[in-house]
């Protein structure tokens, strides 16, 4: 594959992913979840199984720990996540979805 073909394919894939992300976001907002952004959905995918630390979330999102911490604080204020003691590390906090966070995740899946 030539470099120009690879660039065109990359651009097409990014456009498709962006379009899908936008459609999911619009569906979530249409179901009454206000104040959410597409970045929140990417965080929810990491938090959904069993929660995560801010460090884990930062690695998943490809951001700094400070940026992930700010995102978590925003989601706490909006009622989508909560911090709990980490079951295996007394120094860490586990960030988990609240019922509102799970409901928003289900809306995105729909």
């Amino acid at each position: 594959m030539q470099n120009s073909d690879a660039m065109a394919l990359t651009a097409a894939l990014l456009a498709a992913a962006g379009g899908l992300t936008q459609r999911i976001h619009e569906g979530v907002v249409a179901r009454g979840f206000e104040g959410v952004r597409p970045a929140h959905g990417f965080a929810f995918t990491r938090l959904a199984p069993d929660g995560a630390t801010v460090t884990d979330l930062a690695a998943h999102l490809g951001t700094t720990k400070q940026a992930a911490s700010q995102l978590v604080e925003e989601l706490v204020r909006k009622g989508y996540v909560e911090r709990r003691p980490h079951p295996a590390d007394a120094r860490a906090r586990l960030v988990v979805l609240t019922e509102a966070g799970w409901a928003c995740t289900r809306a995105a899946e729909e």
Side-chain angles (χ1 to χ4, degrees):
M1 181 180 296
Q2 292 183 344
N3 193 31
S4 61
D5 291 339
M7 294 281 288
L9 178 59
T10 299
L13 289 171
L14 287 172
L20 179 60
T21 299
Q22 185 60 35
R23 287 182 34 220
I24 291 170
H25 177 69
E26 289 168 356
V28 167
V29 171
R31 287 172 174 79
F33 295 93
E34 298 190 22
V36 293
R37 298 181 286 125
H40 297 151
F42 292 113
F44 287 2
T45 61
R46 177 60 185 92
L47 300 174
D50 299 309
T53 65
V54 169
T55 301
D56 295 334
L57 186 58
H60 175 76
L61 297 174
T63 65
T64 64
K65 287 189 272 185
Q66 292 81 6
S69 183
Q70 289 175 347
L71 181 68
V72 167
E73 185 55 40
E74 179 183 357
L75 291 172
V76 167
R77 282 193 314 270
K78 293 179 181 204
Y80 291 113
V81 303
E82 65 184 13
R83 291 182 185 93
R84 293 186 182 161
H86 194 287
D89 184 351
R91 299 168 297 156
R93 303 282 288 165
L94 196 62
V95 181
V96 297
L97 295 174
T98 62
E99 184 50 44
W102 281 108
C104 187
T105 299
R106 287 189 297 273
E109 290 172 354
E110 291 173 7

